[in-house]
Amino acid sequence: MDYVVFAQQLTNGLVNGMTYVLIATGLTLVFGVLHIINFAHGEFYMLGAFFTYFAAKLLGLDYISAAVVATLGVAVLGIFANRLFFWPLRKEHEFTVLLSSLGLALLLTNGGELIFGADPKYVPSPFADSVFEVGQLIVTQQRVLIFVVGALVLFGLNLFIRHSRMGKMMRATAQNPEGAALSGVNIRQVYTVTFVLACGLAALAGALVGPTAMIFPTVGSWAVLKGFIVVILGGLGSIPGALIGGLTLGVVESLAGGYISLGFAQAIGYAIIIVVLLWRPQGLFGTARRT
Amino acid sequence: MSKETILEVSGLTKAFGGLTAVKAVDLTVQRGEILGVIGPNGAGKTTFFNVIAGSLPPTSGSVRFKGNDCTGMRADRMARLGMTRTFQITSLFPALSAIDNVRAATYRHKKTGWAAAILRNRAWQDEEADVDAEAMRALEFVDLGKRAHVNAEALSYGEQRRLEIAIAIAAKPELLLLDEPAAGMNPEEGQRLVSMIKRIRDEGISILLVEHHMRVVMGVCDRVAVIDHGEKIAEGKPLDVVNDPNVVRVYLGREAVHA
Amino acid sequence: QDKEPVRIGTIAPLSGPGAFDGQLAVEGMEAMVEIVNENGGILDGRMIELVKYDDKGNPEEGVSAAKRAIEQDDVDAIVGGWFSSVALTMKEVTRDRIINVMTSTQHPNTTKEGHKYLFRLNATSVMMSETYAKFICDKMDIETIAFITINDDYGRLEVENYERLLDECGIEVLGNEFYNKDDTDFTTALTKLKALDSDAIYVSAINTAQGATIYRQIKQSGYKGTTIASAGNMNPKLVELSGPALEGVYSVSLFAPDSDSEKLKAWMEQYGEMFSNEPSFIGSLGAQAVELLAGAMDEAGSARDYDKIAEALRGHEWETILGTINFDEIGQAMQNIYLVQVKDGEITSVNE
Amino acid sequence: MLEVSDIVVRYGRREVIHGLSLKVAEGDVVTLVGSNGAGKTTTLKTISGMLKPVSGSISFDGERIDKMDPHEIIAHGVVQIPEGRLLFPDMTVGEHLELGAVRARSGGRSYGERIDWIHEMFPILLERKEQKAGTLSGGQQQMLAIARGLMANPRCLMLDEPSLGLAPIMVDQLEDTIKSLNEAGMTILLVEQRVDLALRLASRGYVLETGSIALEEDAKVLLADPRVKTAYLGI
Amino acid sequence: MSRKITIPVILLAALALPFMTANTYFHHLMVLWMLFSLLALSLNVIIGYIGELSFGHAAFFGIGAYTAAILGMHFGLAGIPGILLAAIVAGLFGFVIGYVSLRIVGPQFAILTLGFGSIIYTITNYWVDLTRGPMGISNIQPLGLWGGDGIALTSAIGYYYVILGCVVAFAYACHALMSSRTGRAFIATRENAPLAASLGIDVFRMKLLGFVVATAVAGVGGALYAHYLTVVTPDVMSMQYVAALIIMVIVGGRGTISGPIIGALIYVALLEALRALGPLRLVIFAALLTASVIFLPGGIVSLWRRITGADTPHQEGAQ
Ligand SMILES: Nc1ncnc2c1ncn2[C@@H]1O[C@H](COP(=O)(O)OP(=O)(O)OP(=O)(O)O)[C@@H](O)[C@H]1O
Ligand SMILES: Nc1ncnc2c1ncn2[C@@H]1O[C@H](COP(=O)(O)OP(=O)(O)OP(=O)(O)O)[C@@H](O)[C@H]1O
Ligand SMILES: [Mg+2]
Ligand SMILES: [Mg+2]
């Protein structure tokens, strides 16, 4: 019996971890490529969930189509967010950019509250309540979906960054924007693509994770904090890092919650991150910063 | 000038993973001496500096500075003992004005702190006046007096290199490590640098100099050591070294003719 | 109709995580204000006007709002204190200065350390749990129970009460898990609770979104026992969001939407005309606060003579939309507590 | 081929180039000589589009390029090798070469040919293909920076202090490289503190003093000019 | 206008301010302004002087507040000793946390502080015996001289002057710091740590010093807050406060002394002025915030510099 509980907790942890991973990847991209701490990332996650909800409700789409529409819609919003809030500040101090993103986050949360209403909503998904049973293990199909889509997206994104030309341009911009511009990289395009990808990923996370809980305009602030922790744990700008970091955090929280104390689970998660960072400041998969 | 050894490096080795950038190098610098270190690109000169100045821990070997064993000592402690270095890649306080860059460098040999500044006592006032005067003198020394209030990042490359030297001398070191100070200077400016370095030495500061401008090296160095692939392959009087066929082959090339 | 209006300051969370509850509360009050004003207002024709303040669910903002209401805007009375932490802070600002009707806060200290002008409508968690425990013991066929509880003063008090009360009647408490107010996933806790294999799980949740998530996740975890919803938190939105997961679940409440009280019906009708949300418990408390203030001010013949108003409130029983109510010496209300159950997606009162 | 006319460039409010004009003919090597802070780097950055002139115009092959972004200018065949290298420390040598080619001008050598050509010119870059640029020595980095620029298949190459940090033997090699590039038909605009070297390589030279052209002459003439000798060569 | 004139004028204005109105609500706002000024100034030591971002600053504020509350509750220490102890306790936490995390820089440091902040928050929530958990501690005694000696500060004006005193003292200390050798070492560390080290500056010690001072002052702020509001809940450690303080420092102008004070004023005044807008309030606030960041990236104080023409050269024009 204990054995089953352990396996169930582990599974819970892995799935929760994958939701963190989905949130963290977009964040790590923006962080890694443009050196921007984007506080508004969680708000794009929130928008992803809300767009899915409204696409299903107002356009009458089924869950999958609604999720796709929402992801694309928010990705397009990424273009505007970049244009208005980040691109103009690209030469300013990182703290200034951070504040701009904080402003955007406040704007989206409070604007969301105004437009979407403060009442919590539920994103209906046909997979939410149906379960997979493997022996005594029980997982909802929605969670399986999160895990599978998460893994696929990560894999694809990693290939993209490592091997595509755009991916290389993004990495070059990350390391030396001026050098990149002089090699012929269109920096503006890199900014745009990075934000489109990041916002799209955040929205996808929102669309996928939405049906596992209720959504409301302030969900983003939770998401962004988790995302940051995962990004730092895994290593700035590292996609495999986001994967391992997210899964680790998910499993640690779930086991700590299951076997030590639920209330302290988060704090234990933080404690582990502190220990990891002290041992490897650059995170699990990060490269050391040269001075 | 008495023959007192200020820096003694023995068997110094530094490996990066599989690559040994510095291999068992022995070197001594006498007080008041200008020792040049030359060698091909990638020979390990900068790494050698980094290890001596405490920016990198050595793999093995020892560094003795002013008679103390300083192997693996942290950079700031080395600096407080009296060793200051410049960096090959320009390293300044970019957002500060030139004069503030130099003011920060007087830290080592000043005493009053925050408490004195709160009380605004006599010692603090005197010292602040000293700091300003010394900083201005250092800037004028490198011909940047007129640019004192320009932000360091707004200086041209050559001016930035000179500002680095001003910063280094404002720290009043006993041993100064210069990593390619003449990079980005034209021959005429190189000549001015030569006289500048000589004047620094005349103030009693010993100098260890890495440089590729042979006119500068020949102009100021009392002795020259040559490093190749991390190993010291020659050492001696400048003229002897540049006529060493080995050095000509790996390092000087056609320049041997001009030198 | 050009008499100066009576201004009631309402301090509620209008932004942040509690915004929806605040919205429901204010809507409930507005519907009642409309009813009172349509009937000619109070004190011979003075209209009631609501002055709204946002406390963001945050004690410090609550203090600022209360100070502003009293010192800057000079309101005649204050209705507020939806979250316990805000209520506990705010009452120090209103202490002996102004009539302050506290609404949904369940913390005993609200009234225990209250002041001469402070009244609280909601039952304390102790009162609620006594009624509820009795029902659980008598009517539900369970021998063991486990709790999932919000980690705040409300949740802590609840577990404390129930552990004692249920133990007295022979139901064994197998365990309790505290969750935090920003949690969105409860699978870890539920896995633990499910493994205890209790006959029932008692869910203590004030926040509608968290509540709905928990009920859904209980269902998804494959738990087959009885689910019991904490007292005072059953509302139409929760039912809507939880879907089938809440079907048949019991709770107790001061508010029974299917009650045949005329007053309640009128208010619910008015509410339906004005707002798109369904009338809720928290809204009904707001409405009751307005109703009581209007009545007491009329009786005192003044909107400002707080001693008289307080005396009036304490003086006798009041007939309100939630039935009869009376206050004790420290301003604590005694109200009817109904047992309710979700049936076919409707909250219905259970008549014994 | 490259024509800069009367440009004015500012950093913030400070004007550092005051109406500068210069011309580079196809197949020429032209050098810009000037003391520290004269504005050489600023001029090159303006041509490559990193800075925008406040007034004046720049045209390449008769086409205005002063309003274009750097990547468009590169696509036209004007490439700058920046002062200070500006490499990507965590990317490999091979990736740098690939990135150099993102906006490569079409025509001329094919991608593969350029790679081979570069490896022939700088064999160390083939040997260190997988090494990260941040761990290369100063001189190795300079070679990589030049190689990256060449991958863009330029017609006009602007070099900003390419000899910076190079050992004498490498400077020889650089000299040979520039010569052979020019012989292969590449137009070169060279900024170099080793004025003697620059004037040896160039056919024409401009002397820049605090943001404007003070002298424009045949390189041989400049090399012999006593003013140049004392001010820049230190003889 | 020279410093010699402006500073006394501003000080006099600050002293006279409460007499401009009899409205006690405005007095309350002034107290909040001063309180936030003190906190923003302390965070500014971290953000502006040592150049790191701390997401844990509210935790030290909370530690100060709880220390004062608990001391007051159990030992009747509601006066100067309580405030000093609050500073010491917060500073000690700052020392330990700083000692552990300041070896790491940049975003990683920010997340470390977030982690420590959250752990402190969680413990505050769960250690009910000490902190009374989520309900917080209410009925904290008002500020006295030594506590329990009958002198108790209850009016907002009183608190205004006390906190104003702290702000002025700390602002002066910051000013003195910046004109001292230690301050130059701070700035050098912020601008280029390896170079600073090569000049003999113990980078780690400088950062630690700055961090401890900042956290101790935040502790003082917390203690004053607790006495003034008479209530403290774990909410004071939430991200909301962290974000608010960061906004004040950066909107005002990081690394300056007037910046955080102006930032605090704008924060308090703007939110108050927008109250009338109801639900639109925070949307407008956020819009103004972002607009100010985009159009005045150097903070409000840079506006002053722009007007007076003191130009800082600054790259422009590149793509
Ligand atoms: N952090 C590092 N990791 C791995 N290899 C390194 C590192 N730093 C330097 N190297 C390698 O060590 C060797 C010596 O480098 P170093 O910078 O000391 O050369 P140098 O003599 O200063 O050359 P130059 O004259 O070009 O500046 C080079 O091959 C370089 O690639
Ligand atoms: N980012 C900047 N902001 C403001 N002023 C600058 C900036 N960069 C350069 N300057 C100024 O512009 C002028 C020209 O600088 P530039 O770098 O073009 O000189 P240069 O001729 O290349 O000198 P060097 O030989 O030293 O590299 C200098 O006075 C310099 O101080
Ligand atoms: Mg070197
Ligand atoms: Mg230059």
Side-chain angles (χ1 to χ4, degrees):
Chain A
M1 188 63 207
D2 266 346
Y3 204 60
V4 175
V5 174
F6 180 78
Q8 181 72 50
Q9 294 294 29
L10 200 65
T11 317
N12 295 342
L14 285 172
V15 174
N16 285 348
M18 196 49 105
T19 66
Y20 299 163
V21 173
L22 274 172
I23 294 163
T25 32
L27 205 52
T28 210
L29 256 190
V30 174
F31 217 139
V33 175
L34 309 176
H35 299 290
I36 292 174
I37 299 185
N38 181 11
F39 258 107
H41 190 74
E43 271 54 51
F44 292 104
Y45 165 87
M46 178 272 285
L47 287 180
F50 271 93
F51 279 24
T52 313
Y53 173 83
F54 283 111
K57 192 171 167 196
L58 301 180
L59 306 179
L61 297 177
D62 61 293
Y63 170 66
I64 304 250
S65 325
V68 171
V69 167
T71 305
L72 296 179
V74 177
V76 171
L77 279 189
I79 299 177
F80 295 103
N82 170 47
R83 187 69 197 82
L84 295 174
F85 295 88
F86 297 102
W87 177 249
L89 293 176
R90 67 198 172 283
K91 297 216 186 80
E92 300 299 337
H93 192 276
E94 54 177 319
F95 292 169
T96 305
V97 186
L98 175 121
L99 198 62
S100 170
S101 78
L102 193 62
L104 175 60
L106 282 176
L107 205 57
L108 289 176
T109 318
N110 294 300
E113 215 154 69
L114 216 59
I115 295 168
F116 306 142
D119 54 319
K121 298 188 170 59
Y122 176 68
V123 183
S125 156
F127 312 109
D129 285 330
S130 13
V131 293
F132 265 133
E133 289 189 50
V134 188
Q136 281 169 286
L137 275 188
I138 296 183
V139 195
T140 63
Q141 291 181 358
Q142 185 71 28
R143 289 169 173 267
V144 176
L145 186 72
I146 291 175
F147 201 87
V148 172
V149 174
L152 287 178
V153 164
L154 264 262
F155 183 71
L157 191 68
N158 196 33
L159 281 186
F160 175 77
I161 299 288
R162 286 279 126 214
H163 301 292
S164 79
R165 173 188 275 200
M166 187 33 103
K168 283 180 186 161
M169 295 206 277
M170 287 163 80
R171 279 194 290 144
T173 309
Q175 295 174 29
N176 193 330
E178 206 182 331
L182 284 173
S183 314
V185 172
N186 182 349
I187 305 291
R188 195 171 179 146
Q189 186 188 22
V190 168
Y191 261 79
T192 310
V193 170
T194 309
F195 270 101
V196 164
L197 272 177
C199 292
L201 281 166
L204 179 66
L208 285 171
V209 180
T212 64
M214 303 303 130
I215 58 169
F216 38 91
T218 47
V219 280
S221 54
W222 160 85
V224 78
L225 285 185
K226 283 284 182 223
F228 274 136
I229 291 160
V230 169
V231 165
I232 299 287
L233 179 64
L236 276 182
S238 159
I239 308 277
L243 178 68
I244 301 298
L247 293 183
T248 309
L249 185 65
V251 170
V252 164
E253 282 187 357
S254 149
L255 294 185
Y259 293 96
I260 304 175
S261 152
L262 196 67
F264 277 102
Q266 269 204 32
I268 293 169
Y270 282 121
I272 302 250
I273 287 147
I274 290 171
V275 172
V276 169
L277 282 185
L278 293 175
W279 160 59
R280 267 184 79 85
Q282 70 274 35
L284 293 171
F285 279 71
T287 38
R289 269 219 230 172
R290 237 170 305 278
T291 41
Chain B
M1 217 169 285
S2 66
K3 278 272 172 184
E4 181 199 347
T5 302
I6 184 161
L7 178 75
E8 184 178 356
V9 175
S10 49
L12 199 67
T13 301
K14 175 72 196 176
F16 295 109
L19 183 101
T20 310
V22 178
K23 282 184 207 141
V25 173
D26 299 320
L27 206 70
T28 53
V29 182
Q30 308 297 327
R31 197 175 275 280
E33 182 184 38
I34 302 180
L35 174 65
V37 177
I38 59 173
N41 292 121
K45 305 177 296 293
T46 299
T47 310
F48 183 60
F49 265 30
N50 282 337
V51 176
I52 296 177
S55 305
L56 284 176
T59 308
S60 65
S62 73
V63 177
R64 292 180 75 80
F65 178 56
K66 296 200 295 184
N68 311 309
D69 184 2
C70 303
T71 318
M73 196 182 263
R74 266 197 346 244
D76 58 297
R77 297 192 50 203
M78 290 303 282
R80 262 171 283 153
L81 276 178
M83 180 191 291
T84 304
R85 54 101 43 113
T86 66
F87 295 80
Q88 176 169 6
I89 314 256
T90 316
S91 187
L92 303 155
F93 303 117
L96 305 188
S97 64
I99 184 101
D100 281 343
N101 268 269
V102 184
R103 273 204 198 117
T106 58
Y107 180 84
R108 186 175 88 78
H109 50 89
K110 291 288 175 274
K111 294 283 156 320
T112 65
W114 189 357
I118 289 179
L119 302 173
R120 319 225 131 202
N121 61 12
R122 205 39 208 267
W124 173 80
Q125 289 173 5
D126 291 349
E127 246 191 41
E128 286 305 299
D130 279 357
V131 166
D132 290 345
E134 282 170 26
M136 206 55 212
R137 242 189 28 189
L139 279 182
E140 267 156 12
F141 186 81
V142 298
D143 284 342
L144 283 176
K146 288 208 188 63
R147 311 282 275 157
H149 296 286
V150 178
N151 274 7
E153 65 194 341
L155 294 174
S156 80
Y157 188 79
E159 289 168 330
Q160 293 187 348
R161 300 298 307 194
R162 294 207 302 269
L163 178 57
E164 284 193 274
I165 296 174
I167 291 175
I169 56 179
K172 294 196 182 156
E174 291 174 57
L175 175 66
L176 180 59
L177 273 52
L178 295 172
D179 198 351
E180 300 198 22
M185 295 188 181
N186 66 36
E188 192 275 335
E189 288 161 338
Q191 290 309 322
R192 276 196 276 162
L193 180 72
V194 167
S195 65
M196 224 180 270
I197 294 177
K198 282 186 173 151
R199 266 157 54 212
I200 296 174
R201 192 256 307 272
D202 293 344
E203 296 193 358
I205 300 173
S206 320
I207 293 168
L208 192 59
L209 169 77
V210 166
E211 188 48 73
H212 289 306
H213 277 49
M214 287 312 286
R215 265 174 79 182
V216 173
V217 174
M218 300 304 288
V220 297
C221 293
D222 301 314
R223 270 188 316 134
V224 175
V226 188
I227 295 187
D228 183 29
H229 285 104
E231 285 172 285
K232 191 168 82 179
I233 57 166
E235 185 175 355
K237 290 256 174 282
L239 271 178
D240 299 341
V241 169
V242 296
N243 289 320
D244 182 329
N246 226 357
V247 177
V248 173
R249 183 177 53 78
V250 302
Y251 182 66
L252 287 173
R254 296 199 287 263
E255 185 120 2
V257 193
H258 307 287
Chain C
Q1 296 278 323
D2 46 9
K3 281 191 181 164
E4 205 190 323
V6 172
R7 297 159 80 233
I8 299 179
T10 167
I11 301 174
L14 299 176
S15 63
F20 181 55
D21 294 310
Q23 186 187 346
L24 291 178
V26 171
E27 286 178 358
M29 293 177 72
E30 278 179 339
M32 183 53 79
V33 166
E34 190 62 28
I35 292 176
V36 174
N37 286 348
E38 261 171 25
N39 291 333
I42 56 172
L43 296 168
D44 297 323
R46 288 175 70 182
M47 296 292 116
I48 297 181
E49 183 188 310
L50 283 188
V51 191
K52 292 173 228 162
Y53 301 89
D54 180 11
D55 65 27
K56 295 189 189 162
N58 169 317
E60 181 230 45
E61 287 274 336
V63 167
S64 286
K67 281 190 188 259
R68 178 169 172 125
I70 301 170
E71 295 166 11
Q72 165 76 12
D73 298 344
D74 196 29
V75 299
D76 295 300
I78 287 180
V79 175
W82 306 90
F83 287 174
S84 289
S85 57
V86 181
L88 290 170
T89 324
M90 212 169 73
K91 73 177 164 52
E92 299 309 323
V93 179
T94 59
R95 181 172 291 279
D96 299 344
R97 283 169 90 182
I98 189 169
I99 284 282
N100 184 185
V101 181
M102 298 251 167
T103 44
S104 67
T105 161
Q106 289 199 5
H107 202 287
N109 287 3
T110 311
T111 37
K112 232 193 258 163
E113 296 171 356
H115 57 78
K116 59 183 183 183
Y117 302 143
L118 183 139
F119 296 85
R120 184 239 305 265
L121 300 179
N122 205 356
T124 66
S125 43
V126 180
M127 296 156 64
M128 286 270 201
S129 42
E130 268 164 13
T131 315
Y132 206 0
K134 208 147 152 227
F135 172 78
I136 294 173
C137 292
D138 297 348
K139 296 275 157 48
M140 289 189 186
D141 187 19
I142 56 171
E143 279 162 18
T144 55
I145 193 166
F147 292 85
I148 177 162
T149 317
I150 173 89
N151 174 41
D152 66 7
D153 27 326
Y154 165 78
R156 283 171 182 275
L157 272 171
E158 280 229 299
V159 210
E160 218 173 277
N161 292 336
Y162 285 108
E163 282 188 344
R164 180 172 44 81
L165 293 167
L166 295 180
D167 191 58
E168 279 169 10
C169 73
I171 296 178
E172 192 185 351
V173 178
L174 295 182
N176 168 45
E177 291 296 334
F178 281 121
Y179 62 88
N180 290 320
K181 68 169 189 260
D182 44 2
D183 286 352
T184 54
D185 181 84
F186 306 91
T187 47
T188 304
L190 293 173
T191 302
K192 256 168 118 173
L193 293 182
K194 195 183 153 209
L196 296 174
D197 206 18
S198 60
D199 295 337
I201 292 182
Y202 180 97
V203 179
S204 147
I206 342 177
N207 180 303
T208 303
Q210 267 186 333
T213 307
I214 296 175
Y215 296 119
R216 278 189 177 266
Q217 292 188 350
I218 289 181
K219 190 99 189 291
Q220 291 162 4
S221 77
Y223 179 70
K224 298 280 178 333
T226 314
T227 307
I228 303 174
S230 57
N233 297 309
M234 192 57 82
N235 67 58
K237 191 78 194 176
L238 183 71
V239 177
E240 176 201 323
L241 291 174
S242 312
L246 212 58
E247 194 54 36
V249 170
Y250 287 101
S251 183
V252 286
S253 179
L254 303 186
F255 170 60
D258 58 349
S259 137
D260 43 10
S261 146
E262 283 308 317
K263 284 190 151 182
L264 184 66
K265 278 190 184 142
W267 173 74
M268 284 176 58
E269 202 171 298
Q270 182 68 36
Y271 193 105
E273 269 172 35
M274 292 171 73
F275 307 106
S276 61
N277 287 314
E278 298 237 10
S280 56
F281 167 56
I282 198 164
S284 72
L285 280 182
Q288 193 185 32
V290 172
E291 197 182 9
L292 283 167
L293 279 174
M297 283 175 177
D298 261 341
E299 198 173 307
S302 154
R304 281 299 173 126
D305 191 336
Y306 298 135
D307 287 316
K308 274 198 178 155
I309 297 173
E311 202 179 307
L313 281 171
R314 281 201 191 92
H316 56 85
E317 281 190 351
W318 294 82
E319 235 3 272
T320 68
I321 58 167
L322 295 178
T324 15
I325 178 173
N326 63 305
F327 291 98
D328 69 6
E329 263 318 291
I330 57 174
Q332 174 60 49
M334 306 295 158
Q335 303 222 49
N336 293 328
I337 299 177
Y338 303 93
L339 181 68
V340 294
Q341 185 184 26
V342 179
K343 268 192 200 145
D344 302 322
E346 296 287 332
I347 303 173
T348 48
S349 43
V350 181
N351 299 313
E352 289 150 74
Chain D
M1 174 158 65
L2 178 69
E3 188 165 348
V4 176
S5 29
D6 206 23
I7 54 164
V8 174
V9 185
R10 289 193 190 139
Y11 287 109
R13 293 187 189 171
R14 219 180 117 224
E15 186 173 306
V16 291
I17 302 287
H18 329 281
L20 175 145
S21 305
L22 59 83
K23 275 189 190 150
V24 185
E26 176 133 31
D28 241 4
V29 178
V30 172
T31 182
L32 220 51
V33 174
S35 54
N36 288 150
K40 305 177 294 292
T41 300
T42 307
T43 306
L44 294 199
K45 277 187 166 174
T46 312
I47 298 174
S48 67
M50 295 298 286
L51 297 172
K52 298 272 173 272
V54 202
S55 67
S57 71
I58 304 170
S59 54
F60 182 69
D61 259 356
E63 196 177 340
R64 285 282 291 261
I65 58 169
D66 47 285
K67 297 271 181 321
M68 292 182 184
D69 278 341
H71 62 96
E72 295 167 304
I73 294 174
I74 289 171
H76 278 75
V78 180
V79 175
Q80 182 191 358
I81 314 283
E83 180 180 63
R85 297 145 199 172
L86 310 185
L87 300 177
F88 316 122
D90 285 332
M91 295 179 81
T92 65
V93 170
E95 285 174 326
H96 276 78
L97 299 186
E98 225 174 294
L99 277 167
V102 289
R103 293 282 158 179
R105 182 180 61 90
S106 45
R109 289 187 175 85
S110 74
Y111 181 83
E113 284 165 1
R114 270 177 282 153
I115 291 266
D116 293 341
W117 172 55
I118 278 163
H119 284 158
E120 204 177 304
M121 209 162 10
F122 306 113
I124 185 90
L125 296 185
L126 179 59
E127 188 185 307
R128 302 287 176 97
K129 198 165 167 237
E130 297 300 326
Q131 189 173 342
K132 292 195 170 164
T135 64
L136 293 174
S137 82
Q140 294 162 345
Q141 293 189 1
Q142 185 65 54
M143 290 179 238
L144 182 55
I146 295 176
R148 179 179 66 183
L150 290 177
M151 283 306 292
N153 198 13
R155 287 177 59 205
C156 174
L157 190 66
M158 301 190 286
L159 294 139
D160 196 355
E161 311 214 4
S163 81
L164 196 79
L166 292 192
I169 195 163
M170 292 305 302
V171 177
D172 296 346
Q173 210 180 345
L174 177 77
E175 195 176 339
D176 297 345
T177 308
I178 294 176
K179 263 191 205 140
S180 70
L181 286 175
N182 180 239
E183 274 155 21
M186 204 172 287
T187 309
I188 286 169
L189 178 55
L190 176 65
V191 167
E192 180 51 66
Q193 289 291 8
R194 301 207 169 180
V195 179
D196 46 341
L197 172 86
L199 288 174
R200 274 207 308 278
L201 280 167
S203 50
R204 262 162 13 94
Y206 288 86
V207 176
L208 203 58
E209 263 166 28
T210 52
S212 34
I213 301 291
L215 211 58
E216 177 199 343
E217 272 295 357
D218 202 73
K220 303 267 168 342
V221 180
L222 282 180
L223 201 50
D225 189 315
R227 280 173 297 176
V228 172
K229 274 190 170 163
T230 49
Y232 300 107
L233 296 172
I235 341 180
Chain E
M1 257 193 297
S2 87
R3 272 227 169 111
K4 289 222 158 56
I5 305 173
T6 43
I7 296 203
V9 167
I10 290 173
L11 272 179
L12 275 179
L15 285 173
L17 196 57
F19 297 103
M20 309 280 200
T21 168
N23 186 327
T24 45
Y25 183 64
F26 279 114
H27 296 160
H28 167 68
L29 294 179
M30 287 173 207
V31 174
L32 287 187
W33 170 33
M34 277 304 128
L35 202 59
F36 281 132
S37 296
L38 187 62
L39 291 170
L41 275 173
S42 73
L43 182 61
N44 182 46
V45 173
I46 301 176
I47 292 185
Y49 297 161
I50 64 181
E52 296 290 349
L53 195 60
S54 171
F55 286 153
H57 210 60
F60 301 101
F61 171 58
I63 289 174
Y66 270 96
T67 308
I70 292 168
L71 284 176
M73 196 165 63
H74 294 305
F75 306 100
L77 275 175
I80 294 168
I83 290 183
L84 286 181
L85 272 170
I88 291 171
V89 173
L92 271 179
F93 271 90
F95 179 79
V96 173
I97 292 171
Y99 192 84
V100 173
S101 29
L102 280 166
R103 295 159 201 284
I104 293 172
V105 297
Q108 282 89 347
F109 173 78
I111 294 295
L112 274 181
T113 55
L114 173 71
F116 279 112
S118 309
I119 290 175
I120 292 172
Y121 173 78
T122 310
I123 293 175
T124 313
N125 251 318
Y126 278 83
W127 194 354
V128 179
D129 293 340
L130 183 72
T131 64
R132 294 219 215 151
M135 78 170 109
I137 301 176
S138 43
N139 280 336
I140 301 167
Q141 289 115 308
L143 192 64
L145 210 50
W146 303 105
D149 54 4
I151 306 173
L153 201 55
T154 45
S155 73
I157 294 192
Y159 280 93
Y160 172 79
Y161 284 120
V162 169
I163 309 178
L164 176 68
C166 295
V167 169
V168 170
F170 188 55
Y172 175 71
C174 287
H175 170 72
L177 173 71
M178 283 303 107
S179 54
S180 78
R181 163 178 176 268
T182 318
R184 283 192 292 270
F186 269 59
I187 301 302
T189 301
R190 175 188 80 193
E191 291 293 318
N192 186 343
L195 178 59
S198 84
L199 295 171
I201 295 167
D202 187 338
V203 169
F204 178 71
R205 238 185 73 199
M206 285 303 139
K207 288 188 172 178
L208 190 57
L209 174 65
F211 196 74
V212 171
V213 168
T215 51
V217 172
V220 172
L224 292 168
Y225 171 95
H227 287 305
Y228 174 63
L229 277 190
T230 71
V231 181
V232 35
T233 64
D235 275 355
V236 299
M237 303 191 181
S238 66
M239 274 309 281
Q240 221 183 354
Y241 279 88
V242 174
L245 292 179
I246 293 178
I247 289 172
M248 291 173 217
V249 173
I250 300 181
V251 165
R254 78 195 134 78
T256 64
I257 289 165
S258 48
I261 299 178
I262 295 174
L265 174 64
I266 289 177
Y267 186 83
V268 172
L270 194 61
L271 277 182
E272 200 49 46
L274 293 177
R275 225 179 248 286
L277 293 172
L280 265 176
R281 174 184 177 213
L282 289 175
V283 179
I284 306 267
F285 175 76
L288 289 175
L289 167 68
T290 29
S292 95
V293 177
I294 291 168
F295 296 109
L296 277 178
I300 307 278
V301 288
S302 69
L303 189 66
W304 174 252
R305 248 180 265 136
R306 249 188 231 187
I307 293 169
T308 57
D311 181 34
T312 41
H314 161 306
Q315 182 127 4
E316 227 171 48
Q319 80 140 209

